Amino acid sequence: MTILDGKKTSEALKQEIAEEVKQLKAAGKKVPHLAAVLVGDNGASITYVNSKVKACEQVGFASTLVKLPADITEEALLEEIDKLNANADIDGYIVQLPLPKHIDEQKILLAVDPKKDVDGFHPANFGRIALDMEAFIPATPFGIMELLKRYEVPTKGKHVVVVGRSHIVGRPISILLSQKGAQGNATVTLTHSHTPNLADFTRQADIIVMALGIPEFLKGDMVKEGVTVIDVGITRLQDDNAPKGYRIVGDVAFDEVKNKANYITPVPGGVGPMTIAMLLKNTLLACKWRERVVSKLLTINC
Ligand code: GUN
């Protein structure tokens, strides 16, 4: 059994990105610049955004944190989005979710320029993914694909069962794994909370992606020998015996399932750490794509 170590892999990836930034600097080019919009004072959002800004510093990116009050109007937030879209120095940005209830999240995400949408949440990027076009892939499915690639987990001809149909994990990963290409060519079944007899599907699977949000849902008797298990779940469970009074668990009963698995991601330390690294990767891609467009324009103008 091999543990798909997201912590180690994300560190390696960040080092590679830092190396590319050094080369960009040495060539006199601009470094990638990520902005994050944080509305209000949701504790979890502040923690996430701070980790993203810190990760930018680690790899040598420029970063901008746009902090806005919880009572900002939708109109004023849309003006901030327009400014970020127009700012030529910013390669990509994210609007940290959730937003306060009085703001229409969908309206805000639609206002983000798809070319700067490094979260990959804009429908234009989802459509591009579905059509095999160059696109920003949301961080979680992008991180899963990167782990499968780096550990050379075979996917060609395999039966993948994805559990959960969310817009940012289940749906895109089911598309990516069924696409042509090295980490694709799988036969994918997308299941969800209304799939009857779910275990009948998971027991047939060569690869299972759990993104349901129910702690320790996938038990040992629900998988076959030799399975690959990717656990996207992350839930805090109260545990009076744990030093912090809680423990973090995924959607997989890890101790039972690991004995039957060929490859498995742990929680914590699996898919989670990959997400920030993939956001950095998307920002680097945004920077490169913008430079490509600018240099084309310059060539046309000359
Ligand atoms: N809130 C929780 N996860 C995310 C994420 O990946 N991106 C954004 N923008 N908000 C989030």
Side-chain angles (χ1 to χ4, degrees):
M1 185 268 295
T2 301
I3 297 274
L4 301 174
D5 186 337
K7 197 160 186 289
K8 204 173 83 186
T9 308
S10 66
E11 288 306 323
L13 197 61
K14 280 195 262 182
Q15 266 185 14
E16 290 163 21
I17 294 171
E19 203 47 53
E20 281 211 46
V21 174
K22 269 190 203 152
Q23 286 171 15
L24 286 175
K25 270 188 184 164
K29 294 186 178 160
K30 122 184 216 321
V31 299
H33 186 169
L34 174 72
V37 179
L38 176 64
V39 182
D41 44 23
N42 176 311
S45 291
I46 294 171
T47 308
Y48 276 132
V49 167
N50 285 340
S51 318
K52 290 170 187 176
V53 170
K54 196 173 139 214
C56 282
E57 284 166 12
Q58 277 179 348
V59 298
F61 284 8
S63 66
T64 297
L65 176 55
V66 183
K67 264 183 161 174
L68 301 167
D71 61 355
I72 189 170
T73 63
E74 194 174 274
E75 201 184 357
L77 180 54
L78 284 169
E79 278 170 22
E80 294 292 335
I81 300 287
D82 281 346
K83 280 192 228 163
L84 290 166
N85 287 341
N87 186 334
D89 195 62
I90 288 173
D91 297 296
Y93 68 95
I94 61 150
V95 181
Q96 188 65 27
L97 303 178
L99 290 170
K101 289 204 166 44
H102 66 280
I103 291 174
D104 181 347
E105 220 161 77
Q106 222 170 42
K107 204 166 168 183
I108 302 299
L109 294 181
L110 275 172
V112 174
D113 179 348
K115 292 188 222 65
K116 293 191 175 190
D117 170 37
V118 285
D119 256 336
F121 290 174
H122 194 285
N125 276 308
F126 190 92
R128 293 178 69 90
I129 293 170
L131 295 171
D132 299 334
M133 295 165 78
E134 200 169 63
F136 293 117
I137 301 169
T140 304
F142 200 9
I144 295 171
M145 297 303 280
E146 192 68 23
L147 273 177
L148 295 173
K149 179 171 150 190
R150 296 207 176 212
Y151 280 88
E152 298 177 359
V153 178
T155 56
K156 183 173 154 187
K158 301 296 181 192
H159 183 199
V160 178
V161 171
V162 177
V163 185
R165 57 185 156 181
S166 71
H167 296 169
I168 57 171
V169 185
R171 295 252 177 95
I173 196 68
S174 65
I175 293 170
L176 293 167
L177 285 164
S178 63
Q179 273 175 344
K180 287 181 183 168
Q183 267 61 55
N185 290 327
T187 303
V188 180
T189 304
L190 179 57
T191 69
H192 46 76
S193 53
H194 291 268
T195 303
N197 307 320
L198 191 64
D200 288 350
F201 291 89
T202 56
R203 273 190 213 109
Q204 288 179 39
D206 302 305
I207 300 173
I208 302 172
V209 180
M210 285 301 300
L212 198 58
I214 302 177
E216 299 181 332
F217 179 88
L218 190 78
K219 305 281 194 273
D221 64 356
M222 294 168 72
V223 305
K224 69 176 182 186
E225 288 288 341
V227 69
T228 292
V229 179
I230 308 292
D231 190 353
V232 181
I234 177 157
T235 308
R236 254 189 205 195
L237 280 190
Q238 190 183 336
D239 181 351
D240 296 335
N241 296 322
K244 290 184 178 168
Y246 66 85
R247 64 195 165 90
I248 303 285
V249 292
D251 288 355
V252 177
F254 184 83
D255 289 336
E256 290 179 24
V257 173
K258 77 170 195 297
N259 299 322
K260 293 172 94 174
N262 266 2
Y263 298 93
I264 188 165
T265 60
V267 175
V271 175
M274 292 299 291
T275 57
I276 289 189
M278 301 325 286
L279 175 66
L280 297 175
K281 178 97 183 165
N282 271 342
T283 308
L284 179 63
L285 289 172
C287 181
K288 286 183 180 172
W289 291 344
R290 278 163 62 77
E291 199 188 50
R292 203 169 61 194
V293 172
V294 171
S295 56
K296 237 190 217 159
L297 284 174
L298 287 175
T299 321
I300 291 165
N301 288 337
C302 282

